[in-house]
PDB file of all heavy atoms in Angstrom:
ATOM      1  N   TYR A 214      47.753 -51.494  16.518  1.00 98.00           N
ATOM      2  CA  TYR A 214      47.154 -50.688  15.446  1.00 98.00           C
ATOM      3  C   TYR A 214      48.133 -50.660  14.273  1.00 98.00           C
ATOM      4  O   TYR A 214      49.248 -50.130  14.394  1.00 98.00           O
ATOM      5  CB  TYR A 214      46.882 -49.275  15.975  1.00 98.00           C
ATOM      6  CG  TYR A 214      46.049 -48.415  15.048  1.00 98.00           C
ATOM      7  CD1 TYR A 214      44.751 -48.776  14.709  1.00 98.00           C
ATOM      8  CD2 TYR A 214      46.556 -47.231  14.527  1.00 98.00           C
ATOM      9  CE1 TYR A 214      43.978 -47.983  13.867  1.00 98.00           C
ATOM     10  CE2 TYR A 214      45.792 -46.424  13.693  1.00 98.00           C
ATOM     11  CZ  TYR A 214      44.499 -46.815  13.364  1.00 98.00           C
ATOM     12  OH  TYR A 214      43.736 -46.022  12.531  1.00 98.00           O
ATOM     13  N   GLY A 215      47.715 -51.227  13.150  1.00 98.00           N
ATOM     14  CA  GLY A 215      48.630 -51.434  12.019  1.00 98.00           C
ATOM     15  C   GLY A 215      48.751 -50.212  11.127  1.00 98.00           C
ATOM     16  O   GLY A 215      48.307 -50.213   9.988  1.00 98.00           O
ATOM     17  N   TRP A 216      49.389 -49.190  11.629  1.00 98.00           N
ATOM     18  CA  TRP A 216      49.474 -47.913  10.902  1.00 98.00           C
ATOM     19  C   TRP A 216      50.815 -47.267  11.197  1.00 98.00           C
ATOM     20  O   TRP A 216      51.249 -47.242  12.357  1.00 98.00           O
ATOM     21  CB  TRP A 216      48.324 -47.008  11.355  1.00 98.00           C
ATOM     22  CG  TRP A 216      48.272 -45.636  10.763  1.00 98.00           C
ATOM     23  CD1 TRP A 216      48.458 -44.454  11.425  1.00 98.00           C
ATOM     24  CD2 TRP A 216      47.983 -45.288   9.397  1.00 98.00           C
ATOM     25  NE1 TRP A 216      48.295 -43.406  10.572  1.00 98.00           N
ATOM     26  CE2 TRP A 216      48.005 -43.887   9.313  1.00 98.00           C
ATOM     27  CE3 TRP A 216      47.716 -46.029   8.248  1.00 98.00           C
ATOM     28  CZ2 TRP A 216      47.762 -43.197   8.119  1.00 98.00           C
ATOM     29  CZ3 TRP A 216      47.480 -45.351   7.056  1.00 98.00           C
ATOM     30  CH2 TRP A 216      47.499 -43.947   7.001  1.00 98.00           C
ATOM     31  N   SER A 217      51.454 -46.721  10.155  1.00 98.00           N
ATOM     32  CA  SER A 217      52.817 -46.203  10.309  1.00 98.00           C
ATOM     33  C   SER A 217      52.873 -44.701  10.493  1.00 98.00           C
ATOM     34  O   SER A 217      53.954 -44.139  10.631  1.00 98.00           O
ATOM     35  CB  SER A 217      53.636 -46.555   9.060  1.00 98.00           C
ATOM     36  OG  SER A 217      53.390 -47.880   8.673  1.00 98.00           O
ATOM     37  N   GLY A 218      51.723 -44.030  10.462  1.00 97.00           N
ATOM     38  CA  GLY A 218      51.753 -42.573  10.388  1.00 97.00           C
ATOM     39  C   GLY A 218      51.488 -41.841  11.684  1.00 97.00           C
ATOM     40  O   GLY A 218      51.297 -40.627  11.679  1.00 97.00           O
ATOM     41  N   GLY A 219      51.493 -42.550  12.797  1.00 95.00           N
ATOM     42  CA  GLY A 219      51.196 -41.896  14.061  1.00 95.00           C
ATOM     43  C   GLY A 219      49.755 -42.173  14.453  1.00 95.00           C
ATOM     44  O   GLY A 219      48.841 -42.074  13.641  1.00 95.00           O
ATOM     45  N   HIS A 220      49.550 -42.522  15.701  1.00 97.00           N
ATOM     46  CA  HIS A 220      48.258 -43.031  16.149  1.00 97.00           C
ATOM     47  C   HIS A 220      47.949 -42.442  17.522  1.00 97.00           C
ATOM     48  O   HIS A 220      48.819 -41.842  18.173  1.00 97.00           O
ATOM     49  CB  HIS A 220      48.350 -44.553  16.290  1.00 97.00           C
ATOM     50  CG  HIS A 220      49.471 -44.899  17.201  1.00 97.00           C
ATOM     51  ND1 HIS A 220      50.760 -44.940  16.746  1.00 97.00           N
ATOM     52  CD2 HIS A 220      49.517 -45.071  18.536  1.00 97.00           C
ATOM     53  CE1 HIS A 220      51.560 -45.143  17.777  1.00 97.00           C
ATOM     54  NE2 HIS A 220      50.845 -45.221  18.871  1.00 97.00           N
ATOM     55  N   ARG A 221      46.729 -42.677  17.921  1.00 98.00           N
ATOM     56  CA  ARG A 221      46.346 -42.320  19.286  1.00 98.00           C
ATOM     57  C   ARG A 221      45.736 -43.553  19.938  1.00 98.00           C
ATOM     58  O   ARG A 221      44.969 -44.279  19.311  1.00 98.00           O
ATOM     59  CB  ARG A 221      45.312 -41.208  19.249  1.00 98.00           C
ATOM     60  CG  ARG A 221      44.806 -40.837  20.609  1.00 98.00           C
ATOM     61  CD  ARG A 221      43.521 -40.042  20.471  1.00 98.00           C
ATOM     62  NE  ARG A 221      43.784 -38.637  20.678  1.00 98.00           N
ATOM     63  CZ  ARG A 221      42.824 -37.757  20.952  1.00 98.00           C
ATOM     64  NH1 ARG A 221      41.562 -38.125  21.022  1.00 98.00           N
ATOM     65  NH2 ARG A 221      43.117 -36.494  21.143  1.00 98.00           N
ATOM     66  N   MET A 222      46.119 -43.770  21.195  1.00 98.00           N
ATOM     67  CA  MET A 222      45.513 -44.843  21.980  1.00 98.00           C
ATOM     68  C   MET A 222      44.850 -44.218  23.194  1.00 98.00           C
ATOM     69  O   MET A 222      45.444 -43.359  23.846  1.00 98.00           O
ATOM     70  CB  MET A 222      46.587 -45.824  22.460  1.00 98.00           C
ATOM     71  CG  MET A 222      46.062 -46.919  23.360  1.00 98.00           C
ATOM     72  SD  MET A 222      47.366 -47.628  24.402  1.00 98.00           S
ATOM     73  CE  MET A 222      47.166 -46.667  25.905  1.00 98.00           C
ATOM     74  N   VAL A 223      43.631 -44.637  23.468  1.00 98.00           N
ATOM     75  CA  VAL A 223      42.944 -44.178  24.668  1.00 98.00           C
ATOM     76  C   VAL A 223      42.500 -45.405  25.450  1.00 98.00           C
ATOM     77  O   VAL A 223      41.763 -46.242  24.924  1.00 98.00           O
ATOM     78  CB  VAL A 223      41.694 -43.341  24.303  1.00 98.00           C
ATOM     79  CG1 VAL A 223      40.967 -42.910  25.564  1.00 98.00           C
ATOM     80  CG2 VAL A 223      42.080 -42.137  23.474  1.00 98.00           C
ATOM     81  N   ALA A 224      42.995 -45.530  26.660  1.00 98.00           N
ATOM     82  CA  ALA A 224      42.514 -46.593  27.552  1.00 98.00           C
ATOM     83  C   ALA A 224      41.832 -45.871  28.701  1.00 98.00           C
ATOM     84  O   ALA A 224      42.456 -45.066  29.397  1.00 98.00           O
ATOM     85  CB  ALA A 224      43.674 -47.444  28.047  1.00 98.00           C
ATOM     86  N   GLU A 225      40.564 -46.149  28.875  1.00 98.00           N
ATOM     87  CA  GLU A 225      39.786 -45.315  29.792  1.00 98.00           C
ATOM     88  C   GLU A 225      38.987 -46.157  30.777  1.00 98.00           C
ATOM     89  O   GLU A 225      38.341 -47.137  30.388  1.00 98.00           O
ATOM     90  CB  GLU A 225      38.810 -44.460  28.969  1.00 98.00           C
ATOM     91  CG  GLU A 225      37.931 -43.558  29.825  1.00 98.00           C
ATOM     92  CD  GLU A 225      37.049 -42.631  28.998  1.00 98.00           C
ATOM     93  OE1 GLU A 225      36.659 -43.021  27.882  1.00 98.00           O
ATOM     94  OE2 GLU A 225      36.747 -41.524  29.484  1.00 98.00           O
ATOM     95  N   GLU A 226      39.060 -45.759  32.024  1.00 98.00           N
ATOM     96  CA  GLU A 226      38.142 -46.325  33.016  1.00 98.00           C
ATOM     97  C   GLU A 226      37.086 -45.278  33.307  1.00 98.00           C
ATOM     98  O   GLU A 226      37.372 -44.172  33.769  1.00 98.00           O
ATOM     99  CB  GLU A 226      38.888 -46.704  34.301  1.00 98.00           C
ATOM    100  CG  GLU A 226      37.930 -47.287  35.319  1.00 98.00           C
ATOM    101  CD  GLU A 226      38.626 -47.969  36.480  1.00 98.00           C
ATOM    102  OE1 GLU A 226      39.506 -48.824  36.231  1.00 98.00           O
ATOM    103  OE2 GLU A 226      38.295 -47.631  37.625  1.00 98.00           O
ATOM    104  N   LEU A 227      35.843 -45.621  32.990  1.00 97.00           N
ATOM    105  CA  LEU A 227      34.732 -44.680  33.148  1.00 97.00           C
ATOM    106  C   LEU A 227      34.359 -44.572  34.620  1.00 97.00           C
ATOM    107  O   LEU A 227      34.665 -45.472  35.413  1.00 97.00           O
ATOM    108  CB  LEU A 227      33.531 -45.177  32.345  1.00 97.00           C
ATOM    109  CG  LEU A 227      33.771 -45.309  30.837  1.00 97.00           C
ATOM    110  CD1 LEU A 227      32.702 -46.174  30.203  1.00 97.00           C
ATOM    111  CD2 LEU A 227      33.794 -43.935  30.210  1.00 97.00           C
ATOM    112  N   PRO A 228      33.650 -43.506  34.994  1.00 95.00           N
ATOM    113  CA  PRO A 228      33.213 -43.380  36.388  1.00 95.00           C
ATOM    114  C   PRO A 228      32.385 -44.590  36.840  1.00 95.00           C
ATOM    115  O   PRO A 228      32.426 -44.977  38.004  1.00 95.00           O
ATOM    116  CB  PRO A 228      32.366 -42.109  36.378  1.00 95.00           C
ATOM    117  CG  PRO A 228      32.867 -41.327  35.214  1.00 95.00           C
ATOM    118  CD  PRO A 228      33.313 -42.327  34.196  1.00 95.00           C
ATOM    119  N   ASP A 229      31.643 -45.216  35.898  1.00 95.00           N
ATOM    120  CA  ASP A 229      30.838 -46.374  36.302  1.00 95.00           C
ATOM    121  C   ASP A 229      31.680 -47.646  36.425  1.00 95.00           C
ATOM    122  O   ASP A 229      31.167 -48.694  36.807  1.00 95.00           O
ATOM    123  CB  ASP A 229      29.658 -46.572  35.329  1.00 95.00           C
ATOM    124  CG  ASP A 229      30.099 -46.735  33.879  1.00 95.00           C
ATOM    125  OD1 ASP A 229      31.042 -47.510  33.644  1.00 95.00           O
ATOM    126  OD2 ASP A 229      29.506 -46.092  32.989  1.00 95.00           O
ATOM    127  N   GLY A 230      32.991 -47.565  36.113  1.00 96.00           N
ATOM    128  CA  GLY A 230      33.882 -48.718  36.283  1.00 96.00           C
ATOM    129  C   GLY A 230      34.139 -49.488  35.012  1.00 96.00           C
ATOM    130  O   GLY A 230      35.076 -50.284  34.945  1.00 96.00           O
ATOM    131  N   ARG A 231      33.309 -49.269  33.989  1.00 97.00           N
ATOM    132  CA  ARG A 231      33.586 -49.952  32.722  1.00 97.00           C
ATOM    133  C   ARG A 231      34.895 -49.417  32.147  1.00 97.00           C
ATOM    134  O   ARG A 231      35.291 -48.279  32.401  1.00 97.00           O
ATOM    135  CB  ARG A 231      32.439 -49.721  31.716  1.00 97.00           C
ATOM    136  CG  ARG A 231      31.161 -50.443  32.074  1.00 97.00           C
ATOM    137  CD  ARG A 231      30.061 -50.178  31.061  1.00 97.00           C
ATOM    138  NE  ARG A 231      29.708 -48.750  31.007  1.00 97.00           N
ATOM    139  CZ  ARG A 231      28.891 -48.214  30.097  1.00 97.00           C
ATOM    140  NH1 ARG A 231      28.343 -48.963  29.163  1.00 97.00           N
ATOM    141  NH2 ARG A 231      28.614 -46.925  30.114  1.00 97.00           N
ATOM    142  N   ARG A 232      35.555 -50.255  31.379  1.00 98.00           N
ATOM    143  CA  ARG A 232      36.815 -49.847  30.765  1.00 98.00           C
ATOM    144  C   ARG A 232      36.744 -50.049  29.263  1.00 98.00           C
ATOM    145  O   ARG A 232      36.157 -51.024  28.792  1.00 98.00           O
ATOM    146  CB  ARG A 232      37.967 -50.694  31.320  1.00 98.00           C
ATOM    147  CG  ARG A 232      38.265 -50.410  32.785  1.00 98.00           C
ATOM    148  CD  ARG A 232      39.184 -51.468  33.349  1.00 98.00           C
ATOM    149  NE  ARG A 232      39.617 -51.111  34.690  1.00 98.00           N
ATOM    150  CZ  ARG A 232      40.365 -51.897  35.465  1.00 98.00           C
ATOM    151  NH1 ARG A 232      40.759 -53.090  35.021  1.00 98.00           N
ATOM    152  NH2 ARG A 232      40.732 -51.502  36.663  1.00 98.00           N
ATOM    153  N   GLN A 233      37.356 -49.143  28.533  1.00 98.00           N
ATOM    154  CA  GLN A 233      37.376 -49.278  27.077  1.00 98.00           C
ATOM    155  C   GLN A 233      38.756 -48.924  26.542  1.00 98.00           C
ATOM    156  O   GLN A 233      39.510 -48.174  27.174  1.00 98.00           O
ATOM    157  CB  GLN A 233      36.336 -48.358  26.440  1.00 98.00           C
ATOM    158  CG  GLN A 233      36.611 -46.879  26.643  1.00 98.00           C
ATOM    159  CD  GLN A 233      36.028 -45.994  25.535  1.00 98.00           C
ATOM    160  OE1 GLN A 233      35.775 -46.447  24.428  1.00 98.00           O
ATOM    161  NE2 GLN A 233      35.845 -44.705  25.840  1.00 98.00           N
TER     162      GLN A 233
END
Side-chain angles (χ1 to χ4, degrees):
Y214 190 62
W216 178 247
S217 316
H220 55 278
R221 177 197 257 198
M222 176 203 95
V223 178
E225 179 175 31
E226 180 167 309
L227 299 163
D229 57 46
R231 289 180 298 172
R232 292 168 172 176
Q233 65 153 338

